[in-house]
Amino acid sequence: MPALRLLWLSVTDPVPGLGNYTAIATDDVALTVVLRTLGMAAIVTVVCLLLAYPYAYLMTISTPRWRAVLIAVVLIPFWTSLMARTFAWVVLLQDNGVVDTLLRGAGIGPTRLLGTTAGVTLAMAQVMLPFVVLPVYTTMRGINRRLVDAALSLGARPAIAFLRVYLPLSLPGVAAGATLVMVLSLGFYVTPSLVGSPKQSMLAQFISVQVNQLVDFGGAGALAVALLVITLLLLGGVQFATRRKGTRANSAPISGGIPL
Amino acid sequence: MKTGRGLRAFLITCGVLTGAWLVVPTLVVIPISFSGENSFAFPPSSWSLRHYTTFFTEPSWLTSLLVSLQLALLVTAVATVLGTTAAFALARRTFVGKGIVEGLFMAPLIVPGIVVAVAMYAAFLGWGLIGTPIGFIAAHTVLALPFVTVNVTASLAGFDRVLERASATLGASPWTTFRSVTFPLIRPGVLAGALFAFVTSFDEVVVSLFIQSPTLQTLPVRMFTSVTNEVDPTIAAASTVVLVVSTILLGLATITRRNHHAA
């Protein structure tokens, strides 16, 4: 219901028509924000994949007891309050904060992290990582190791066997995880607004400014609808691609209230 | 495939570093909450409970904590009843447009929080619900419902309906059957759903930020404004309290659900 009203507002407020949409499409600021948001979401997704892949792989070769520990570690961010975690990042990244001090000890810095893209990436990737690790792990667990053994016995070098056999088989999980992170990052509000700066604002912050400071419901509505459409297109596209290949990835159960 | 020793060492190093990065940052708020200083310095150079004293005595913090707790309890009750009913309807009946209804129930999980927030704000302005308890309950219930429905549906999926028929043939009324046969069997799912609903409401920030009023603020909203507008270490105490509450409840929910699935 409220969503329909928003759609209605986006084409009626302040004047009926598609004015709000053409305004976004021609407004440099809005376009910059949309592109920046897509860019940030892509960076966070790549960072998450790079961290999640070895982690999930480690889970598949661990003993059951260590695997339980690794799973618990991934689930802990699911369980902990988003506000508390974001506040923790603000403290860690502040000037003369823990990260700054550590980096200075290592001979780097002084660094500015709070209010920068690097800081936002660091904090966002931590929030998003579980959403990649779980589907990638689920897919990897289902891979038959004998296929890789077969490649090795046929004379493939380990790196080739990995690239040609194991990696393609793990792709459905990677795709599922990447989409989830991409989608969640696009609409992420809390962490970017507290860890980032208004100058580097992302789409969600931009929408919030439209509503709270400019009281421009039409503009905000149009942006929100655009965000929703991008989200649905991403989800639909990936679902279509994976279903056609007949290898549907089990996406991870979303097991915490994740009020992003 | 045998994993080479070098690769293994590399993977373990990655795992330890990633794990530390996932877990350690959040823990930093706990020592800060016991600091004696008026800043976020870490590690603190003196220790005290003063931030907790402030948190539990200063009206603006205490009120928001109470608001959040009351709200979360009400939302849990409403969402659990509605979600369980809905799960029954979805699992047991076939009707026109069922797929669409199922999709709508899952929508709050997919639709970005900011979109839900703006949409509710716009709608609530029109209905005069901004900053009202009813508005908060309605908004949080919508967000919490999927968690209840998912958990109860999962319980119902593994449910043997022969038991209900047996009960009915032995002369039990439908209500007696539900109370003494059906409900006890799906209780773990309902319980897990209720816990998730509580935490969803207790932890929700984005929608609450939009529909709040100066007189009705939830704890996460109070924390949000604290981070943006003030340097008040009381928030470290608030964070620790929220962290402990939500971690315990979600841990319980996951354990309830897992035991149920294992059974």
Side-chain angles (χ1 to χ4, degrees):
Chain A
M1 265 296 284
L4 288 179
R5 181 168 167 96
L6 193 64
L7 187 61
W8 177 246
L9 278 174
S10 79
V11 291
T12 54
D13 180 85
V15 285
L18 292 173
N20 287 313
Y21 291 93
T22 49
I24 297 178
T26 51
D27 177 11
D28 282 346
V29 181
L31 280 182
T32 314
V33 172
V34 171
L35 289 178
R36 183 190 295 141
T37 308
L38 284 169
M40 269 305 287
I43 295 173
V44 171
T45 308
V46 170
V47 170
C48 281
L49 283 178
L50 288 178
L51 293 171
Y53 203 88
Y55 192 91
Y57 191 87
L58 183 63
M59 281 165 83
T60 63
I61 59 168
S62 305
T63 57
R65 186 175 302 174
W66 274 108
R67 189 178 305 143
V69 173
L70 289 170
I71 291 180
V73 165
V74 170
L75 286 178
I76 283 169
F78 257 148
W79 287 350
T80 45
S81 151
L82 181 67
M83 252 331 287
R85 241 181 320 155
T86 306
F87 165 64
W89 276 112
V90 172
V91 171
L92 285 171
L93 296 175
Q94 67 187 335
D95 294 344
N96 299 316
V98 181
V99 178
D100 192 20
T101 314
L102 280 178
L103 286 177
R104 238 185 282 188
I108 313 163
T111 45
R112 269 211 65 86
L113 285 166
L114 198 60
T116 65
T117 313
V120 178
T121 312
L122 207 58
M124 268 177 81
Q126 190 223 10
V127 178
M128 299 296 174
L129 193 64
F131 293 103
V132 196
V133 170
L134 296 175
V136 171
Y137 168 66
T138 311
T139 311
M140 281 181 175
R141 207 179 40 180
I143 295 178
N144 188 343
R145 289 296 169 96
R146 286 191 201 152
L147 294 172
V148 183
D149 289 336
L152 290 174
S153 71
L154 292 171
R157 282 184 294 123
I160 301 291
F162 172 78
L163 282 177
R164 303 273 299 264
V165 180
Y166 193 85
L167 186 65
L169 286 171
S170 65
L171 279 184
V174 171
T179 333
L180 209 51
V181 171
M182 191 78 193
V183 162
L184 292 173
S185 303
L186 284 176
F188 206 4
Y189 179 69
V190 177
T191 305
S193 8
L194 294 181
V195 179
S197 78
K199 264 183 276 175
Q200 299 290 319
S201 87
M202 291 184 41
L203 199 43
Q205 288 160 273
F206 193 65
I207 294 175
S208 133
V209 170
Q210 301 270 318
V211 171
N212 289 323
Q213 286 163 32
L214 308 174
V215 202
D216 175 8
F217 275 100
L223 281 168
V225 171
L227 173 58
L228 193 57
V229 169
I230 299 175
T231 304
L232 292 176
L233 281 178
L234 260 173
L235 283 174
V238 170
Q239 196 145 46
F240 180 72
T242 45
R243 203 171 275 177
R244 202 179 41 180
K245 277 162 76 183
T247 45
R248 273 186 65 199
N250 292 323
S251 56
I254 301 182
S255 36
I258 313 292
L260 301 174
Chain B
M1 177 172 61
K2 279 189 58 187
T3 312
R5 200 178 295 160
L7 179 63
R8 210 183 165 83
F10 166 76
L11 285 172
I12 290 173
T13 317
C14 285
V16 170
L17 288 176
T18 310
W21 176 64
L22 280 171
V23 177
V24 176
T26 322
L27 301 180
V28 79
V29 300
I30 299 173
I32 290 178
S33 72
F34 291 106
S35 122
E37 263 115 307
N38 244 334
S39 71
F40 298 135
F42 182 86
S45 43
S46 61
W47 306 92
S48 79
L49 287 173
R50 51 187 279 215
H51 300 316
Y52 287 92
T53 319
T54 317
F55 179 65
F56 286 112
T57 50
E58 208 214 289
S60 78
W61 284 106
L62 186 63
T63 318
S64 63
L65 172 65
L66 294 177
V67 165
S68 274
L69 285 175
Q70 288 167 348
L71 199 60
L73 283 173
L74 286 167
V75 168
T76 306
V78 178
T80 307
V81 172
L82 286 181
T84 307
T85 322
F88 265 93
L90 291 172
R92 299 250 166 121
R93 302 263 184 279
T94 44
F95 50 87
V96 181
K98 185 174 165 183
I100 298 174
V101 176
E102 275 174 339
L104 281 178
F105 262 98
M106 292 303 118
L109 291 180
I110 302 161
V111 177
I114 186 75
V115 177
V116 180
V118 174
M120 285 192 178
Y121 184 60
F124 283 13
L125 268 185
W127 301 334
L129 287 176
I130 297 290
T132 63
I134 300 287
F136 271 105
I137 293 170
H140 284 189
T141 303
V142 168
L143 298 173
L145 265 179
F147 295 105
V148 179
T149 324
V150 164
N151 281 297
V152 179
T153 310
S155 307
L156 282 173
F159 186 88
D160 190 352
R161 295 203 66 182
V162 172
L163 296 171
E164 284 179 348
R165 257 176 268 143
S167 161
T169 49
L170 291 172
S173 71
W175 172 242
T176 313
T177 303
F178 178 78
R179 217 188 43 205
S180 53
V181 178
T182 315
F183 187 72
L185 284 168
I186 61 164
R187 190 162 42 204
V190 176
L191 198 65
L195 287 166
F196 277 121
F198 186 92
V199 176
T200 306
S201 169
F202 189 67
D203 222 19
E204 205 286 324
V205 202
V206 187
V207 171
S208 304
L209 263 177
F210 277 79
I211 62 172
Q212 60 153 331
S213 72
T215 49
L216 198 63
Q217 262 188 352
T218 64
L219 186 56
V221 171
R222 179 70 185 84
M223 290 165 76
F224 192 95
T225 40
S226 176
V227 177
T228 37
N229 302 335
E230 28 187 287
V231 183
D232 174 8
T234 313
I235 190 192
S239 285
T240 309
V241 170
V242 170
L243 210 60
V244 170
V245 171
S246 62
T247 306
I248 290 175
L249 292 181
L250 284 178
L252 276 178
T254 310
I255 291 164
T256 327
R257 199 163 62 164
R258 193 169 298 155
N259 288 347
H260 183 57
H261 281 316

